[in-house]
Amino acid sequence: MITRNEGFANLTAGYLFPEVARRRREYAASHPEAKIISLGIGNTTEPLPKFIAKAMADYSIGLSTPEGYSGYGDEQGNTELRKKIAEVWYKGLADESEVFISDGAKCDIARIQTLFGRNVKIAVQDPAYPVYVDGSVIVGAAGKNNGTGYEGVTYMPCTPENDFFPDLSVVEPDSLIYFCSPNNPTGAVATKEQLKKLVDFANKNGCIIIFDGAYREFIRDPELPKTIFEIEGARTCAIEINSFSKPAGFTGVRLGWSIVPNDLKFADGTSVNRDWNRVMTTLFNGASNVVQAGGLACLEPEGLKAMKEVIDYYLENAALIKKTFEGENFKKAGAEVYFTGNSPYIWVKFPGKKSWGVFDTLLDKCNVVTTPGSGFGPAGESFIRISAFGHHADVQEACSRLSKLAL
Ligand code: PL4
């Protein structure tokens, strides 16, 4: 018989978000009267801007005509969209040959692991979006969990004590470093100086950075970098993975992209861009043509304006959530609130408590779903993450319940 990929046996817990959903379902089944509000999974809730939806509808109708029909496109993506992303979002910091269109950032994070195989050392921010580590375990780049974390993974704690920027000296040379800014789950955004430190470290130590910028459009502080390619030296050490999910509400529509600079090389001098092109053409068949038409509309002035308005809407929710967790009742319980104003996530510490315990309390007493910080890594223990994605009315109701909670 075929032996099981031992990576699956090495995974010590189910994937975080289905686990949150399972606990919510279980609670709902035993409390049918509960009106549960989810501030857990970072899933967009507001309708697509009309201008963007119409572009997809028009393209779709066009497919029913001989002039408008198209079949398979280039696996790397529609040339016009690649060009537009390079122009609008990278302003000359990347060119179209370095842009690869995909069906979303999570899928690229998974595929990118085929580029490096199982013999690469991994370093991750701790806490981090769980796909980086779980995906590494599945492909065998990370091994068994020894109780403090997976073998082959260097955890880089990002805590209030280090202002959520890690001590890079713990990272071994020649590592693949996953770095997310604005960060999920802490909401921290690395400054230009911090990213410069990261880039210099990577260049000096033969590392490659996988920079996840999925929340870039939440950055409101003009001093903060929106892409790692704003940093001198990044073109020789970084890959960026990104997504239309959060800015455009494309979580269900599915569209993302990666930037792999032509200057980035493996140890033997071969081009990473060339191998990524091979991965994308071999293991991917191109993003949906209808969806790519939507992506093009996002990058028109009207689309950019509409996306900003939706993000402003979520940021208003975030400000209310922050204020709620800074309320007297939470203060008395010792809660510490971290929110930068540049991300959809509020990160709250409950010193001395377990994340899943706080999760259960908020679900049971307020019928509000959050995400336990421990699910993002060992340094997330005692924290919970609250997502600002939600209708205003739901967030207001959740905050009203939370503000009355006696802890
Ligand atoms: C729940 C840092 C959310 N089922 O939509 P994509 O694939 O383009 O982007 C996914 C993604 C990539 N990078 C980061 C992210 O935070 C996310 C989405 N994360 C969350 O609540 O943390 C949705 C999670 C989804 C999942 O497993 O990704």
Side-chain angles (χ1 to χ4, degrees), residues 26-315:
E26 220 168 62
Y27 185 84
S30 57
H31 299 79
E33 74 298 342
K35 294 201 164 33
I36 298 176
I37 297 173
S38 177
L39 302 181
I41 294 172
N43 199 358
T44 49
T45 54
E46 298 315 295
L48 293 182
K50 276 254 159 50
F51 178 76
I52 296 167
K54 184 172 181 312
M56 289 191 276
D58 289 348
Y59 190 93
S60 194
I61 294 294
L63 288 173
S64 69
T65 67
E67 319 75 60
Y69 179 75
S70 61
Y72 290 125
D74 292 339
E75 291 91 344
Q76 304 90 336
N78 171 334
T79 308
E80 214 189 324
L81 181 58
R82 298 176 80 189
K83 235 188 239 168
K84 198 94 184 172
I85 287 176
E87 270 168 34
V88 175
W89 270 332
Y90 292 90
K91 300 187 169 53
L93 297 169
D95 82 50
E96 69 187 81
S97 70
E98 299 171 324
V99 182
F100 295 82
I101 310 297
S102 75
D103 50 352
K106 187 178 183 181
C107 319
D108 276 337
I109 295 163
R111 272 188 293 265
I112 208 97
Q113 311 204 341
T114 60
L115 196 56
F116 300 99
R118 52 181 302 148
N119 293 323
V120 69
K121 289 171 276 190
I122 306 291
V124 286
Q125 285 163 295
D126 175 19
Y129 180 45
V131 182
Y132 313 140
V133 170
D134 288 11
S136 303
V137 175
I138 289 172
V139 299
K144 287 191 188 327
N145 192 326
N146 59 22
T148 55
Y150 287 100
E151 288 162 2
V153 177
T154 299
Y155 293 83
M156 306 184 291
C158 294
T159 60
E161 290 70 37
N162 61 15
D163 201 18
F164 299 104
F165 187 78
D167 170 10
L168 298 170
S169 68
V170 298
V171 179
E172 291 183 51
D174 310 327
S175 291
L176 196 58
I177 304 175
Y178 288 93
F179 197 94
C180 178
S181 178
N183 186 267
N184 174 16
T186 67
V189 187
T191 62
K192 282 187 185 149
E193 294 69 32
Q194 289 172 331
L195 283 190
K196 180 76 177 124
K197 262 192 208 164
L198 176 67
V199 162
D200 287 348
F201 177 89
N203 276 323
K204 196 165 157 218
N205 291 283
C207 299
I208 290 182
I209 302 160
I210 307 291
F211 184 82
D212 185 337
Y215 299 97
R216 59 167 273 156
E217 290 306 301
F218 284 82
I219 296 178
R220 288 290 181 263
D221 179 343
E223 294 302 314
L224 292 170
K226 283 190 159 182
T227 158
I228 194 154
F229 297 114
E230 285 181 43
I231 310 303
E232 198 192 336
R235 291 183 56 82
T236 50
C237 67
I239 288 173
E240 185 163 308
I241 287 180
N242 222 308
S243 173
F244 285 81
S245 280
K246 306 301 155 85
F250 274 21
T251 43
V253 173
R254 311 301 307 147
L255 190 66
W257 74 93
S258 56
I259 305 283
V260 183
N262 291 318
D263 305 343
L264 185 64
K265 302 283 190 267
F266 287 110
D268 65 359
T270 56
S271 159
V272 178
N273 178 292
R274 184 142 25 111
D275 282 2
W276 186 232
N277 190 60
R278 185 73 162 89
V279 171
M280 292 300 274
T281 52
T282 309
L283 302 179
F284 184 59
N285 235 348
S288 148
N289 48 15
V290 174
V291 172
Q292 291 190 77
L296 273 168
C298 289
L299 298 173
E300 292 296 324
E302 203 172 334
L304 290 167
K305 181 169 170 284
M307 288 195 295
K308 182 178 175 298
E309 284 166 6
V310 182
I311 292 172
D312 285 345
Y313 180 99
Y314 293 129
L315 284 171

Side-chain angles (χ1 to χ4, degrees), residues 339-393:
F339 175 64
T340 63
N342 297 287
S343 121
Y345 298 125
I346 297 90
W347 188 234
V348 184
K349 183 171 186 180
F350 290 84
K353 297 214 159 82
K354 293 276 185 201
S355 300
W356 277 111
V358 179
F359 170 92
D360 285 337
T361 303
L362 300 185
L363 179 57
D364 191 35
K365 303 265 188 277
C366 302
N367 298 158
V368 172
V369 179
T370 55
T371 308
S374 55
F376 296 95
E381 186 59 278
S382 295
F383 286 85
I384 55 159
R385 187 196 77 174
I386 304 101
S387 158
F389 292 106
H391 302 311
H392 276 340

